């Protein structure tokens, strides 16, 4: 009987925590993501990766990301929108020369003071986008999912430039 009671309590605590996490994700607002605002960069041996975020209004942040090689060629460019719509936060990305340049929407599934996790299991790759605030001048973006039947993850560390 003790074990049944303990097991029931453990299941209830887990269920409550899961519901609390989901409520926290759905209750997150753009204000909780304001640490993302600004200009971020990462210098690599291949070139310079840049991501810029600005606040358009109380319910929309707009971002752009691009990679410029040392030969001054832009090899990657995308725009992002972080929006609060009907009480839910979404991350919509449009990438040049991908997906017929149609936007792809990801939904906030987890959030904390220093992390935002967006997912779209129907997208080919990535299916998950995570932003983590490491410290006020440092963030890490990670895209992950399955590519060609294999789990894949790409990490983008960035420093704030202003």
């Amino acid at each position: 009987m003790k074990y049944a009671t303990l097991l029931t309590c453990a299941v209830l605590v887990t269920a409550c925590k899961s519901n609390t996490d989901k409520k926290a994700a759905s209750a997150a607002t753009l204000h909780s993501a304001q640490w993302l605002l600004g200009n971020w960069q990462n210098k690599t041996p291949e070139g310079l990766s840049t991501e810029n975020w600005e606040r358009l209004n109380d319910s929309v942040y707009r971002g752009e990301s691009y990679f410029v090689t040392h030969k001054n060629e832009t090899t990657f460019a995308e725009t992002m929108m972080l929006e609060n719509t009907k009480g839910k936060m979404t991350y919509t990305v449009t990438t040049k020369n991908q997906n017929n340049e149609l936007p792809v929407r990801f939904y906030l599934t987890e959030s904390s003071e220093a992390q935002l996790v967006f997912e779209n299991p129907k997208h080919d790759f990535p299916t998950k986008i995570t932003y983590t605030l490491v410290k006020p001048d440092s963030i890490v973006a990670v895209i992950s999912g399955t590519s060609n039947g294999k789990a894949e993850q790409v990490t983008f560390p960035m420093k704030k430039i202003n």
Side-chain angles (χ1 to χ4, degrees):
M1 181 69 172
K2 273 186 185 177
Y3 295 112
T5 303
L6 287 174
L7 182 59
T8 302
C9 288
V11 169
L12 288 173
V13 167
T14 303
C16 288
K17 182 178 180 343
S18 176
N19 285 341
T20 301
D21 290 346
K22 288 178 184 172
K23 285 180 185 175
S26 66
T29 64
L30 284 180
H31 180 73
S32 65
Q34 68 183 0
W35 50 264
L36 195 57
L37 296 174
N39 301 309
W40 304 89
Q41 287 187 342
N42 182 29
K43 293 179 183 176
T44 70
E46 295 81 26
L48 182 66
S49 177
T50 302
E51 188 162 310
N52 302 315
W53 284 93
E54 66 179 335
R55 179 182 178 265
L56 293 184
N57 57 47
D58 289 341
S59 59
V60 180
Y61 289 174
R62 181 185 183 283
E64 62 181 15
S65 178
Y66 48 92
F67 184 82
V68 179
T69 68
H70 293 298
K71 294 178 182 177
N72 212 25
E73 297 172 347
T74 301
T75 60
F76 175 83
E78 66 184 5
T79 58
M80 300 87 67
M81 300 295 278
L82 192 56
E83 301 174 88
N84 255 8
T85 308
K86 298 179 183 175
K88 294 185 180 184
M89 194 182 309
T90 59
Y91 179 98
T92 305
V93 60
T94 306
T95 306
K96 189 173 176 134
N97 299 322
Q98 290 183 18
N99 195 44
N100 295 320
E101 298 192 19
L102 295 172
V104 178
R105 182 168 285 167
F106 295 80
Y107 298 90
L108 184 70
T109 56
E110 296 176 46
S111 69
S112 69
E113 289 181 11
Q115 190 172 68
L116 301 167
V117 180
F118 300 91
E119 296 183 68
N120 180 343
K122 294 179 182 177
H123 191 313
D124 55 359
F125 184 86
T127 55
K128 185 176 186 180
I129 299 170
T130 304
Y131 280 92
T132 304
L133 176 66
V134 178
K135 53 187 180 179
D137 71 340
S138 181
I139 62 172
V140 174
V142 177
I143 60 172
S144 58
T146 303
S147 180
N148 296 324
K150 192 168 76 171
E152 190 172 326
Q153 177 174 302
V154 183
T155 302
F156 303 93
M158 294 177 267
K159 290 283 187 191
K160 196 165 201 172
I161 58 170
N162 65 6

